[in-house]
Amino acid sequence: MSRVPPGTGWPDDPARPDTPVAHDPLEVAALAADSGTLAELTARQSVCRACPRLVEWRESVADVKRRAFAEETYWGRPVAGWGDDRPHTLIVGLAPAAHGGNRTGRIFTGDRSGDWLFASLYRTGLAVQETSVRAGDGQRLVGARMMAAVRCAPPANKPTTEERDSCFPWLTRELALVAESTRVVVALGGFAWQAVWPALRAAGFTLPSRRPPFGHGVEVPLSYGKAPVTLLGCYHPSQQNTFTGRVTAPMLDAVFARAVELAAAAGQVPAHTADDRL
């Protein structure tokens, strides 16, 4: 089977058999705008079929599989946003990995990038477990939410401009639904930095007139109404970056510890440590 049918028992599947499906960019825009809750939005994200190339790729990967996962059922659908419904910190990436989120059903889960990311989130108090293996494994984010600019695994990890634009309403609506509590946005990598900027503006955040260049640890002051918000840049914990030492565990920890510090300073969450996760 090339994908998990909605509502058939996959852990944490947000959709049901009758969840409406977007088949083109216009339907994405309409269904995103009409989503009144995160539950409704994530359900619709998880069944989207608006980009033919991505649909074909994600489902072919789920059919062929990687040898190490040959006996597993792959999710094979878009990977919806996940985490706290009232987050103080948002973590935005590029897209699910073909044998990571596309296999496990959860963003940043089941690959080596996710191993680095969740270990850091655990150390800084933003996750309850050090690892994230697959949906339903007991992992939970604390005051944080994850999402991607593109919800389907793309060939060669490179979505087209058209695919990014088609997915834009999903990202914008999710940002709008969590904007009231959000105090920090962490962009993982340059693509996410570029993609989240117009999405934040469309979701009602106030941004500087010029977008600063992406860099690890770069901080940009934003606001939502009268509330202060900070955009943080973070190098993506890809294998290329971690193998070469461009990203180290202390570098990741510094960004997420800073996110917690900023959220606490903005009054959204009390200062806490990695032990305060119960």
Side-chain angles (χ1 to χ4, degrees):
M1 183 180 295
S2 60
R3 61 189 172 97
V4 174
T8 55
W10 185 277
D12 300 328
D13 185 349
R16 302 177 304 187
D18 61 349
T19 297
V21 178
H23 293 91
D24 59 47
L26 289 178
E27 290 185 353
V28 170
L31 288 175
D34 188 50
S35 297
T37 65
L38 279 172
E40 190 172 40
L41 179 69
T42 55
R44 294 173 176 186
Q45 289 173 351
S46 76
V47 295
C48 183
R49 301 183 67 82
C51 299
R53 187 183 80 117
L54 296 186
V55 171
E56 181 181 5
W57 173 252
R58 78 190 191 210
E59 294 184 1
S60 67
V61 168
D63 273 336
V64 176
K65 305 180 182 180
R66 178 173 284 173
R67 180 178 298 178
F69 310 122
E71 302 304 316
E72 294 188 22
T73 298
Y74 274 50
W75 172 251
R77 284 166 43 193
V79 183
W82 171 79
D84 202 316
D85 285 353
R86 287 186 54 80
H88 56 72
T89 297
L90 303 181
I91 302 164
V92 183
L94 166 58
H99 302 281
N102 188 57
R103 173 176 62 90
T104 64
R106 190 163 67 198
I107 191 69
F108 297 122
T109 294
D111 57 32
R112 292 191 178 183
S113 295
D115 292 345
W116 277 73
L117 177 60
F118 277 95
S120 181
L121 295 176
Y122 176 77
R123 289 190 296 267
T124 53
L126 294 171
V128 301
Q129 295 179 180
E130 191 172 10
T131 60
S132 184
V133 180
R134 65 184 307 114
D137 64 358
Q139 180 62 279
R140 180 171 58 85
L141 296 178
V142 181
R145 186 173 185 86
M146 294 181 170
M147 57 191 76
V150 175
R151 306 302 167 117
C152 295
N157 291 322
K158 294 181 179 180
T160 66
T161 300
E162 292 75 15
E163 290 161 352
R164 180 201 62 193
D165 292 346
S166 293
C167 221
F168 184 79
W170 294 134
L171 178 60
T172 299
R173 184 59 180 154
E174 190 162 2
L175 289 170
L177 286 171
V178 299
E180 184 178 348
S181 64
T182 296
R183 296 298 176 266
V184 182
V185 181
V186 179
L188 288 178
F191 187 101
W193 181 267
Q194 294 177 11
V196 78
W197 191 268
L200 286 167
R201 191 183 302 279
F205 290 80
T206 300
L207 282 65
S209 57
R210 293 186 178 182
R211 182 176 64 210
F214 170 74
H216 188 82
V218 170
E219 298 186 15
V220 182
L222 319 175
S223 62
Y224 185 78
K226 295 182 179 180
V229 180
T230 303
L231 174 63
L232 290 177
C234 181
Y235 287 152
H236 195 288
S238 64
Q239 289 191 55
Q240 180 179 1
N241 284 342
T242 57
F243 283 178
T244 61
R246 190 184 190 202
V247 172
T248 64
M251 289 172 66
L252 290 177
D253 291 357
V255 168
F256 292 114
R258 177 60 174 158
V260 172
E261 179 184 25
L262 288 166
Q268 188 60 28
V269 62
H272 65 280
T273 69
D275 294 325
D276 301 322
R277 288 179 287 243
L278 300 180

